[in-house]
Amino acid sequence: MFDLPRSTEIRKPIHKKLIYQKFSAELDGEKRKRFDEDISRITVTNEISEKSVNIRPVDEVSSIFVIQIELKSKEYNERNIALVSKLFGQKLLLVLHVDGEYQLAIYETQLLKSEWKKEAEIKLRIDGLDLRTVWNSFVTAVSGISAQDGNTLSEQIGIEAEKERLKKIIVELERKARKEVQSKRKFELHRKIGEYKKRLEVM
């Protein structure tokens, strides 16, 4: 799948019942219900490790697992996908699948996602001298974010998240300014918009 080496293929189903038993505290009551409403099946499809691809591990990345999650709808709760990333205690590349389309998701300080695509449109390359470099390349492939200006990849992800937050604030303030009838209040909103735009420019 996605041009990953055949040596990495394992195809091991993970039954939801086992997940509920192992993580009963994290998936109790309503959380379990929402999890079940989103996810129909989970399968480990690939293991990228020194044994399967002859790339050396590092302390923080000893292996990378590819997990395919069969969804019931594209309108899923992101918390359930983030939860899968955290529960296994491993570096996971998640392949979300529904109605013949795929979305990649990966957790690196936060949940990052790709656009929905057909299988033939997705190519995953295993590049790097160690598994940390391979992991970073997967993060970039999924998110489109790469390290800049001497930042680490994690730092750059934080910066991009802050940029998106500021853009949303600006859009909301501009909406309020258009509706505001009091000149003093309108002026104050435009002043705040200017401040946020300046912060965005220097990031």
Side-chain angles (χ1 to χ4, degrees):
M1 185 170 62
F2 309 145
D3 287 347
L4 288 172
R6 295 182 68 87
S7 60
T8 67
E9 295 177 3
I10 53 178
R11 300 214 60 87
K12 179 181 178 183
I14 300 174
H15 300 290
K16 288 195 292 183
K17 184 178 179 180
L18 296 177
I19 294 175
Y20 297 149
Q21 290 174 348
K22 186 173 182 179
F23 305 108
S24 57
E26 294 87 348
L27 285 168
D28 61 341
E30 192 64 28
K31 290 180 181 178
R32 174 172 170 170
K33 180 183 176 182
R34 290 196 297 266
F35 190 90
D36 194 55
E37 286 173 347
D38 279 347
I39 296 171
S40 61
R41 190 165 65 252
I42 301 174
T43 306
V44 182
T45 60
N46 304 79
E47 179 184 358
I48 299 164
S49 63
E50 185 176 27
K51 183 179 179 181
S52 65
V53 293
N54 196 30
I55 296 177
R56 65 181 176 87
V58 291
D59 289 342
E60 69 274 23
V61 188
S62 59
S63 57
I64 301 167
F65 290 92
V66 180
I67 293 186
Q68 183 162 324
I69 300 176
E70 299 294 335
L71 296 174
K72 296 179 181 179
S73 168
K74 286 184 180 181
E75 305 304 317
Y76 61 86
N77 188 327
E78 288 189 9
R79 291 181 181 179
N80 288 328
I81 306 305
L83 183 62
V84 172
S85 296
K86 296 175 182 178
L87 290 182
F88 289 90
Q90 301 281 352
K91 293 294 187 183
L92 304 182
L93 174 61
L94 304 177
V95 178
L96 313 182
H97 177 239
V98 64
D99 297 331
E101 290 191 306
Y102 296 83
Q103 182 181 59
L104 303 182
I106 201 163
Y107 198 94
E108 180 68 17
T109 72
Q110 65 187 71
L111 186 68
L112 304 166
K113 302 179 299 178
S114 71
E115 298 294 325
W116 287 97
K117 297 179 180 180
K118 298 292 185 182
E119 182 176 355
E121 298 176 296
I122 302 174
K123 307 293 181 187
L124 292 174
R125 296 179 60 188
I126 298 179
D127 289 326
L129 298 176
D130 59 57
L131 289 178
R132 162 51 74 181
T133 307
V134 173
W135 173 256
N136 285 347
S137 72
F138 283 169
V139 172
T140 296
V142 171
S143 67
I145 298 171
S146 55
Q148 300 174 20
D149 301 325
N151 299 318
T152 65
L153 184 55
S154 293
E155 289 169 342
Q156 193 66 44
I157 289 169
I159 290 170
E160 296 303 321
E162 179 63 10
K163 285 181 180 179
E164 289 303 310
R165 189 184 74 85
L166 290 175
K167 288 176 183 177
K168 288 178 182 178
I169 291 173
I170 291 168
V171 169
E172 179 61 19
L173 289 175
E174 288 176 337
R175 184 188 66 79
K176 289 181 178 180
R178 286 193 299 270
K179 293 183 176 182
E180 184 57 59
V181 294
Q182 294 184 13
S183 57
K184 185 176 180 181
R185 176 61 179 157
K186 186 182 283 286
F187 175 82
E188 179 62 20
L189 287 169
H190 281 293
R191 186 186 66 78
K192 286 184 178 180
I193 290 168
E195 288 180 358
Y196 283 118
K197 284 185 176 180
K198 284 181 180 177
R199 285 172 59 181
L200 195 57
E201 287 174 2
V202 300
M203 294 185 75

